């Protein structure tokens, strides 16, 4: 079975997101842990969380993906920005213990002129400050497009972060198809080659989720602009190969395309049609 969902609003709570996912043919979903532009998280509702866990178990959901806010920059130069990153990471990882086998995705961050090596060091230190022994959540570093001073546009940078984190067994990767394509990895023309390179540098065992997005831009553009599936430069045939690839087809896929719910419903149905039984 293809495990696929989309990004949903958390404004009405956990159970509501699960019910919405079911209504559009999804068997998982992604949501922001708090406002994507930062700020405090809503008060945690343990009963609502338990209701989602029960619903997900009843309907055979794949793991749900919690996305950190965009403003969370664990390698920032500003102390105030770093303090927010440390606080948000700690709070998010603590509450995710209510969800067995949870996945937590974050953009590695922007070094803002400090240099990639300093950025990598700070990201690892931020994760070390928030992660704790015995935690059940796996933290996923997202592959980035490489725009500006982003860290994570190259597989080697993700590997360096993982190697520096003390609890590295709880760290994996979320591969964003738009991002890697914009970063110069030709998943449309040479998917096997890209996956071979990823396996050599990071290890396919670290790959735990896929953001399935088309791209508005050409290969290597370093722009990061998502497009609806089949309407961008990656194209539907390549996206079909991705969901069907033997090394990837068991993973959960999350849509972040520019859509409303009905558009997501159509894309989920489209990719289920593409998925080879």
């Amino acid at each position: 079975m293809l495990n696929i969902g989309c990004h949903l609003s958390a404004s009405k709570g956990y159970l509501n997101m699960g019910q919405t996912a079911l209504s559009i043919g999804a068997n998982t979903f992604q949501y922001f842990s708090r406002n994507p532009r930062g700020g405090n998280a809503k008060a945690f509702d343990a009963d609502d969380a338990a209701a989602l866990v029960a619903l997900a178990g009843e309907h055979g959901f794949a793991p749900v993906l919690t996305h950190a806010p965009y403003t969370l920059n664990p390698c920032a130069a500003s102390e105030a920005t770093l303090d927010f990153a440390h606080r948000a990471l700690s709070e998010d990882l603590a509450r995710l213990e209510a969800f067995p086998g949870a996945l937590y995705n974050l953009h590695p961050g922007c070094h803002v002129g400090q240099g990639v090596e300093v950025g990598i060091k700070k990201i690892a230190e931020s994760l070390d400050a928030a992660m704790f022994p015995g935690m059940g959540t796996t933290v996923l570093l997202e592959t980035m497009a490489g725009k500006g001073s982003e860290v994570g546009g190259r597989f080697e940078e993700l590997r360096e972060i993982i190697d520096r984190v003390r609890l590295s067994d709880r760290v994996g990767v979320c591969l964003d198809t738009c991002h890697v394509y914009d970063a110069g990895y030709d998943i449309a023309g040479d998917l096997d080659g890209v996956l071979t390179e990823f396996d050599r540098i990071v290890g396919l065992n670290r790959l735990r989720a896929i953001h399935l997005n088309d791209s508005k831009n050409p290969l290597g553009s370093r722009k990061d602009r998502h497009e609806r599936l089949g309407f961008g430069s990656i194209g539907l045939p390549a996206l079909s190969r991705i969901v069907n690839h033997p090394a990837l087809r068991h993973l959960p896929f999350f849509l972040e395309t520019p859509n409303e719910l009905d558009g997501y419903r159509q894309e989920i149905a489209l990719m289920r049609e593409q998925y080879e039984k």
Side-chain angles (χ1 to χ4, degrees), residues 205-257:
N205 62 308
R206 296 276 184 181
L207 188 55
R208 300 292 301 276
I210 305 266
H211 281 160
L212 192 67
N213 302 303
D214 214 326
S215 174
K216 290 181 180 291
N217 296 289
L219 175 69
S221 64
R222 298 193 176 190
K223 296 282 189 180
D224 182 13
R225 293 190 65 208
H226 299 187
E227 180 57 283
R228 291 175 296 155
L229 304 186
F231 288 86
S233 54
I234 298 174
L236 184 59
L239 295 167
S240 177
R241 288 193 294 272
I242 289 167
V243 299
N244 284 294
H245 195 283
L248 307 177
R249 58 185 284 124
H250 65 288
L251 295 171
F253 294 85
F254 301 92
L255 306 175
E256 297 178 318
T257 50

Side-chain angles (χ1 to χ4, degrees), residues 125-182:
E125 289 173 348
S126 294
L127 291 174
D128 280 344
M131 298 173 70
F132 50 92
M135 62 184 284
T137 299
T138 300
V139 175
L140 304 186
L141 302 170
E142 185 171 340
T143 59
M144 303 306 295
K147 69 181 189 295
S149 65
E150 281 181 345
V151 180
R154 307 305 302 169
F155 295 156
E156 290 84 355
E157 294 169 11
L158 299 177
R159 179 78 239 187
E160 286 188 53
I161 296 168
I162 293 168
D163 286 345
R164 285 176 175 267
V165 175
R166 284 197 300 268
L167 298 177
S168 61
D169 61 316
R170 305 308 304 172
V171 181
V173 172
C174 174
L175 186 149
D176 186 301
T177 55
C178 171
H179 293 178
V180 295
Y181 188 76
D182 282 18

Side-chain angles (χ1 to χ4, degrees), residues 17-40:
M17 287 190 288
Q19 293 168 334
T20 300
L22 289 173
S23 75
I24 60 172
N27 61 346
T28 185
F29 61 89
Q30 171 183 280
Y31 69 98
F32 281 117
S33 63
R34 61 190 70 210
N35 188 301
R37 300 302 170 192
N40 295 324

